[in-house]
Amino acid sequence: MQDQFINPYPDLTLTSLERTMKEESESEATEIERKYEQRRRDVILRGVLSVTVICAEDLPALDFMGKSDPYVVLTLRKAGTKRKTRVLNETLNPVWNQTFDFVVEDALHELLILEVYDHDTIGKNYIGRCIMTLTRVLLEGEFYDIFGLDGAKSGRISLHLTWAPQPIIRDP
């Protein structure tokens, strides 16, 4: 809107009518931008995140017998929600095929953390982890991918994620 009140003759000044129209259009644009920004802040991306932990490959051997007893702990950092797969004994290539549903209150600011451990009778040994934002699943709605494990000598984890949005708007 501002562009329609540009003075094509820079040597001549704007008339009082032109100045008034320009000021009104600028104030209207500013008001519209302010309302849009406020509305954008009021929208929360709420929904259900489904995470299927399909399998892991090439995990490091942490037991004496050259195998591991792996399991995965899934955590939503902001919400503090945790879930755990079952322990699969004596394997470096576990197949879980377990799905976990999380109710997510604010998906734009949430992190999904997957930590892989080796189960032992006297405790657990950390193998590696994968940390991700929910941006990709929010944009795509559903995806499958293989992620490397940070902190591990080797290993990858296969995941399938889906997002079912339930947008809510805060009352002013």
Side-chain angles (χ1 to χ4, degrees), residues 8 12-13 29 37 43 48 60 62 67 82 89 94-95 102 105-106 110 116 118 122 129 136 139 146 164 169:
L12 301 175
T13 60
E37 190 61 34
V43 174
V48 176
L62 298 181
K67 299 282 185 176
K82 289 189 176 192
N89 294 320
V95 177
F102 296 93
E105 294 297 330
D106 187 7
E110 189 63 86
V116 182
D118 172 40
I122 50 173
R129 71 178 177 187
R136 183 173 171 194
L139 293 172
I146 299 172
I169 299 177

Side-chain angles (χ1 to χ4, degrees), residues 55-74:
C55 65
E57 301 169 337
D58 196 29
L59 294 178
L62 298 181
D63 288 345
F64 295 116
M65 305 299 280
K67 299 282 185 176
S68 288
D69 305 318
Y71 67 95
V72 180
V73 176
L74 301 88

Side-chain angles (χ1 to χ4, degrees), residues 48-54 71-76 81-87 96-104 112-114 157-163:
V48 176
L49 174 69
S50 292
V51 181
T52 302
V53 181
I54 299 169
Y71 67 95
V72 180
V73 176
L74 301 88
T75 307
L76 282 181
T81 310
K82 289 189 176 192
R83 303 282 190 273
K84 187 178 107 171
T85 65
R86 63 187 176 278
V87 175
W96 290 285
N97 279 325
Q98 284 185 263
T99 301
F100 302 93
D101 292 333
F102 296 93
V103 175
V104 181
L112 175 63
I113 304 169
L114 295 104
I157 188 164
S158 299
L159 304 173
H160 179 250
L161 288 87
T162 58
W163 174 252

Side-chain angles (χ1 to χ4, degrees), residues 117-135:
Y117 291 96
D118 172 40
H119 180 267
D120 287 324
T121 51
I122 50 173
K124 61 184 178 184
N125 294 319
Y126 176 78
I127 295 176
R129 71 178 177 187
C130 174
I131 301 174
M132 66 183 78
T133 65
L134 304 185
T135 307

